[in-house]
Amino acid sequence: MKWKGKAAAILLVIIGIGSYVFLSTQSVTESKQIQDGTHIKFKTSDKKIQIYKDGSWSPFFIKGVNLGATLPGHFPGEMPISKKDYMNWFQMIQDMGVNTIRIYTIHKPVFYEALVEFNEDNKDDPLYFMQGIWSPVNLMNKTKNASSEEVTKAFKKEIDHAIGAVYGSVTLPDNPGKASGKYTADASPYLIAWHVGTEWNPKIVKSTNQKNQQAKVFNGSKISAKKAASPFESWLAELLNYTARKEAIKGWQHPLTFTNWITTDPLEHPNEPLPSEDSVSVDATHLNVENWQAGYFASFHAYPYYPDFLNETDKYEDVKNSQGKTDTYKGYLQDLKKYHKDIPVMITEFGVPSSLGNAHFGNLGRDQGGHSEKEQGKQDAALLKEIHNEGYAGAVLFSWQDEWFKKTWNTMPFVKSSSRPRWYNDLSPEMSFGVLAMDPEKTDEIKIDGKQQDWEKLPDDEKQKMDVSSNTINRMQVSHDEGFVYITAKLARSFEPEEDTLYFGVDTIDGGIQQPEQLKGKKLSKGLETLIHLGKEGEIRIASDYDFHQRLYEEADSTCNNNNCFEPWRLAVSHKLEPPQANMSLPFKETVVGNMQKAQLDNPSAQALWQIKDDIIEMKIPWALLGFSDPSRHQVVSYKEKSANAEKLPMATAKGITFVPWMVKKESGVEDYAGMDTIQVSDFESYQWDNWDKVKYTERKKAGYKLLKKAFQSID
């Protein structure tokens, strides 16, 4: 009893000097108490975020990472992440030097429970979070009017639910595509800000403005729209004001922001080729804050490779990086910061992916894909430092974990949409932004190192021993997982890369090349769709009459002089643009993605695709490079032409995969199938596998994790 009395007296003294230690059964954190009794832990001031700690306010740079809501095998609305997953991730995230997690939408109750529990064990260095509030996107697309009663009502309901989830004071019913359950953990002391909305479709913004030209400018008790505000901006002021009023009831204030991106930023981009990418603005400076001491800031998703003006502009020719090279992203950051001269600005998405595929070229090699994991970490670390050095209030990396459900524009035409979460497509960069790899099952089980010890450990039902009618291969085994087809073979003699070229022809469906020039006059009884070529370098090519690239883009040139040729495996990275549809003329751009990275013998990478050591060969081939649109259902792209209005190439079912190997010696030619004018493909065993619904995967810190850790920890 004596101690309780002393504690109460101490608490009263603390309250009396204007600070407060928030006490509950789950958390203890310090906050500032203002005159009306409201608590504030974070606020905006002097174009920065500030934290109340040790009885005073100090600058707090947001070193953040975006955390998605899903795992391999699931779309985000299924919410499969467990409390154990969150707890493991929080530790790795904190160890990386990150102080803030951003989530895009309401997660299951276990997220908030795990965060509170984790912070209870890390009182001196807690992880904070930004709570995103997802837009009712479908309703917005349906009404073409964001400020319609239907959309606004749904958005405010989502705000209510988000506040309830954060404060542990709501039970959300089952609702497909959304989190549900009883929320009891109060995570509000660890909340940095409310992050309202999603990237705005410029067509919806323009339509909303047109349909509400006569609407009054919103005037709220906390947040108001200025006279210069558009109807869309006025609607955002209403949503932020609603968020503030509802949170005030809980006795707290947290900073407010709405999501924005370069496409709807308030700057003019005269060098932007696509009119839709610079057609309308959503301007954070058109909102005014009153009676909300926690404040308000602008936030943007900003990547270095898109929109195209970042590659085409000459505006930033004099903006140089530390190596003296023109840096258009740095120039853009400077302009964006200069425009928002009176409020803090934060970049809440940035980064590049590690993937074989590439979807856009970027200045200074900051492409949307085509990076090794180490290069990804190097690029992300450089972007982080750049954002910090330009005086931003925070930088939130995209993203923590790889996300298999994501789609990329240049692979969508040959991938089955409904199956994306069931397999990892190395050609789709959007799947591979994570710092934490979500590796297909056998990534760790089969190291591509030119050795077969890993294969000996595989259960018999996870590998298929193949009968091969070849003079140069004694034994061959094949396996697969959710991302790759794995092959190992023992050659009849040691491989000499300066003299030898080893080919594996691949047959999946009827059609293809029957007399490839690499067979030096011999013919196959069935055609090949793709051809794997291993020598001094490794590459996989695609049959000229099967080539997705030429079938999708009339601008794609053939490299072949005849019909028996295999084309380089290519992806488009930019459409051809011409006025009046575009503001300027730009050529069609493409990139080769069929080059296979060779493993280092002493340190094989998870991204390495092949290695030959003496007489042992190992390789793994991404499913998409073999023509698969959904390997979990044996679906491949067919030879049928795409109809005029179809979004995707037609698909067919493959009964299996047949590999036809042969060796070519520089001096003596083909060493296999002597005396045979026609090679019977049916004599080769076909690799078979079962359809799958459930996926297996392993988590792994990518090679760039250490580089990012060093970068995050270097920032105070």
Side-chain angles (χ1 to χ4, degrees):
M1 291 297 291
K2 289 182 180 180
W3 167 244
K4 288 183 179 179
K6 289 181 180 179
I10 292 171
L11 184 58
L12 287 171
V13 170
I14 293 173
I15 293 172
I17 62 173
S19 60
Y20 184 78
V21 180
F22 180 81
L23 298 175
S24 76
T25 57
Q26 293 183 306
S27 60
V28 179
T29 189
E30 184 182 9
S31 65
K32 176 76 172 180
Q33 188 176 32
I34 59 179
Q35 288 183 344
D36 64 0
T38 300
H39 303 288
I40 304 178
K41 177 70 176 177
F42 294 95
K43 70 174 183 178
T44 61
S45 179
D46 192 28
K47 292 180 280 190
K48 293 180 172 61
I49 303 295
Q50 293 199 333
I51 184 173
Y52 192 77
K53 188 176 181 181
D54 298 329
S56 64
W57 292 101
S58 58
F60 186 83
F61 183 80
I62 304 297
K63 300 186 290 184
V65 66
N66 287 281
L67 190 148
T70 194
L71 296 169
H74 302 273
F75 282 103
E78 298 174 53
M79 299 284 175
I81 305 172
S82 69
K83 184 176 180 180
K84 182 180 178 181
D85 292 326
Y86 286 125
M87 294 294 284
N88 290 338
W89 293 354
F90 292 163
Q91 189 61 63
M92 287 187 278
I93 289 170
Q94 187 184 65
D95 290 345
M96 193 169 67
V98 166
N99 57 31
T100 303
I101 292 167
R102 177 196 173 197
I103 56 175
Y104 294 90
T105 188
I106 304 166
H107 282 224
K108 291 192 305 184
V110 291
F111 168 81
Y112 306 93
E113 294 166 7
L115 186 66
V116 170
E117 184 176 321
F118 179 84
N119 285 338
E120 279 292 290
D121 293 333
N122 294 272
K123 293 183 176 68
D124 294 333
D125 187 25
L127 265 179
Y128 299 103
F129 77 111
M130 283 192 279
Q131 176 66 57
I133 303 174
W134 198 258
S135 307
V137 177
N138 292 338
L139 281 178
M140 292 172 74
N141 291 333
K142 172 187 171 184
T143 64
K144 304 293 190 294
N145 183 4
S147 63
S148 69
E149 182 179 352
E150 185 178 10
V151 172
T152 303
K153 182 180 179 181
F155 216 139
K156 288 181 177 179
K157 183 178 180 181
E158 189 72 7
I159 291 169
D160 289 337
H161 289 171
I163 292 172
V166 169
Y167 282 87
S169 60
V170 71
T171 298
L172 300 180
D174 289 339
N175 188 358
K178 292 183 177 290
S180 61
K182 187 175 183 180
Y183 293 78
T184 58
D186 184 358
S188 60
Y190 307 112
L191 180 69
I192 280 183
W194 299 102
H195 206 300
V196 176
T198 46
E199 294 175 345
W200 310 116
N201 183 333
K203 293 181 180 179
I204 302 298
V205 177
K206 292 174 72 174
S207 177
T208 299
N209 290 340
Q210 291 166 359
K211 291 183 178 184
N212 298 276
Q213 295 181 42
Q214 304 305 316
K216 292 182 179 180
V217 174
F218 179 78
N219 185 21
S221 59
K222 311 290 185 185
I223 309 292
S224 298
K226 298 178 181 178
K227 288 184 179 180
S230 68
F232 191 89
E233 293 160 354
S234 187
W235 172 71
L236 285 172
E238 180 182 353
L239 294 177
L240 293 183
N241 185 74
Y242 183 83
T243 305
R245 287 197 303 106
K246 286 291 186 175
E247 186 180 36
I249 297 171
K250 299 291 188 179
W252 274 86
Q253 289 188 18
H254 291 94
L256 300 164
T257 191
F258 63 80
T259 304
N260 208 350
W261 59 326
I262 298 178
T263 297
T264 53
D265 72 11
L267 306 181
E268 293 184 0
H269 306 295
N271 294 107
E272 173 51 48
L274 292 173
S276 61
E277 294 295 336
D278 194 33
S279 62
V280 66
S281 294
V282 179
D283 194 335
T285 70
H286 288 171
L287 274 60
N288 190 49
V289 180
E290 300 173 2
N291 303 319
W292 194 253
Q293 293 187 31
Y296 161 71
F297 63 94
S299 63
F300 289 88
H301 297 173
Y303 293 89
Y305 48 76
Y306 194 82
D308 285 321
F309 79 86
L310 288 166
N311 293 319
E312 304 303 327
T313 186
D314 57 4
K315 181 180 180 181
Y316 303 126
E317 284 185 356
D318 294 331
V319 180
K320 307 294 185 180
N321 65 8
S322 58
Q323 286 78 45
K325 296 180 179 179
T326 296
D327 188 337
T328 60
Y329 188 71
K330 181 177 182 179
Y332 175 76
L333 290 176
Q334 291 175 353
D335 277 357
L336 190 67
K337 181 71 166 55
K338 183 178 179 181
Y339 184 89
H340 296 86
K341 59 183 179 180
D342 296 323
I343 60 174
V345 194
M346 197 180 300
I347 302 300
T348 52
E349 270 192 18
F350 73 95
V352 299
S354 64
S355 58
L356 185 60
N358 189 353
H360 285 104
F361 292 145
N363 171 241
L364 297 174
R366 293 164 170 171
D367 298 352
Q368 188 185 3
H371 300 292
S372 69
E373 291 178 1
K374 187 174 182 179
E375 178 64 20
Q376 177 197 29
K378 181 180 177 182
Q379 294 276 17
D380 286 350
L383 292 170
L384 169 67
K385 291 179 180 179
E386 204 158 87
I387 294 166
H388 176 257
N389 291 342
E390 293 303 328
Y392 280 73
V396 186
L397 177 67
F398 185 83
S399 62
W400 171 242
Q401 80 269 39
D402 284 347
E403 298 177 302
W404 291 9
F405 81 93
K406 297 292 283 292
K407 58 186 177 183
T408 307
W409 73 273
N410 60 356
T411 62
M412 287 168 59
F414 52 87
V415 170
K416 188 177 178 182
S417 300
S418 61
S419 70
R420 287 195 313 270
R422 289 199 297 263
W423 64 292
Y424 172 72
N425 182 1
D426 203 12
L427 297 191
S428 180
E430 287 288 337
M431 292 189 179
S432 301
F433 274 92
V435 180
L436 187 71
M438 295 292 179
D439 287 329
E441 178 189 12
K442 290 188 172 65
T443 302
D444 195 46
E445 295 178 10
I446 300 178
K447 299 290 187 184
I448 305 302
D449 56 5
K451 302 175 184 177
Q452 291 188 326
Q453 287 90 334
D454 295 340
W455 289 81
E456 294 169 2
K457 297 175 184 177
L458 281 182
D460 289 341
D461 61 355
E462 292 187 19
K463 58 189 175 186
Q464 184 175 333
K465 297 180 180 179
M466 312 287 280
D467 291 329
V468 181
S469 303
S470 166
N471 296 332
T472 56
I473 292 182
N474 292 335
R475 299 191 305 270
M476 190 167 89
Q477 297 179 79
V478 183
S479 186
H480 77 278
D481 61 15
E482 295 82 356
F484 303 90
V485 176
Y486 297 78
I487 303 169
T488 188
K490 183 174 176 58
L491 307 179
R493 60 172 175 79
S494 292
F495 184 81
E496 300 176 10
E498 298 293 330
E499 299 291 327
D500 299 330
T501 303
L502 182 60
Y503 294 98
F504 286 80
V506 184
D507 171 45
T508 54
I509 53 174
D510 291 338
I513 294 177
Q514 290 184 262
Q515 196 166 0
E517 57 190 32
Q518 291 84 355
L519 264 175
K520 311 296 183 182
K522 296 183 184 295
K523 187 177 180 180
L524 297 163
S525 63
K526 287 187 66 181
L528 304 175
E529 280 66 58
T530 51
L531 181 67
I532 302 166
H533 161 178
L534 303 177
K536 287 189 289 186
E537 305 292 338
E539 184 182 9
I540 183 165
R541 291 189 165 221
I542 188 166
S544 55
D545 61 342
Y546 189 56
D547 184 17
F548 309 165
H549 191 58
Q550 292 186 76
R551 292 159 67 187
L552 289 167
Y553 306 103
E554 61 181 19
E555 301 88 357
D557 294 328
S558 173
T559 63
C560 294
N561 297 319
N562 56 62
N563 293 328
N564 293 326
C565 174
F566 288 90
E567 301 276 5
W569 230 112
R570 295 168 291 178
L571 287 175
V573 293
S574 180
H575 291 288
K576 181 180 179 179
L577 300 176
E578 294 286 353
Q581 288 76 24
N583 296 324
M584 64 181 70
S585 297
L586 286 178
F588 176 77
K589 296 177 183 178
E590 62 187 19
T591 186
V592 174
V593 294
N595 295 328
M596 298 168 62
Q597 179 183 329
K598 191 174 184 180
Q600 296 179 11
L601 288 173
D602 56 344
N603 186 26
S605 159
Q607 291 179 289
L609 297 181
W610 74 287
Q611 180 55 267
I612 298 178
K613 185 177 181 182
D614 298 327
D615 60 349
I616 300 297
I617 174 177
E618 271 193 306
M619 60 180 163
K620 64 178 186 182
I621 308 299
W623 283 105
L625 288 182
L626 298 175
F628 280 84
S629 57
D630 176 10
S632 74
R633 292 295 183 273
H634 287 68
Q635 292 293 292
V636 295
V637 173
S638 77
Y639 284 88
K640 293 181 180 178
E641 289 303 316
K642 182 173 76 72
S643 60
N645 297 323
E647 295 180 352
K648 297 182 182 297
L649 292 169
M651 299 175 190
T653 301
K655 295 180 180 179
I657 305 174
T658 302
F659 297 96
V660 181
W662 70 91
M663 183 92 80
V664 175
K665 191 86 172 172
K666 182 186 290 186
E667 299 296 331
S668 56
V670 178
E671 295 190 344
D672 294 278
Y673 318 117
M676 298 173 61
D677 293 327
T678 300
I679 301 166
Q680 297 298 319
V681 175
S682 59
D683 289 345
F684 294 84
E685 191 175 350
S686 175
Y687 179 64
Q688 304 290 317
W689 69 97
D690 294 330
N691 288 345
W692 72 81
D693 288 304
K694 294 183 178 180
V695 306
K696 295 180 180 179
Y697 66 93
T698 57
E699 297 178 359
R700 173 181 55 84
K701 296 174 188 173
K702 291 185 182 178
Y705 177 92
K706 291 182 179 178
L707 296 172
L708 280 164
K709 179 178 181 179
K710 183 178 180 181
F712 276 119
Q713 292 183 345
S714 70
I715 297 172
D716 293 331

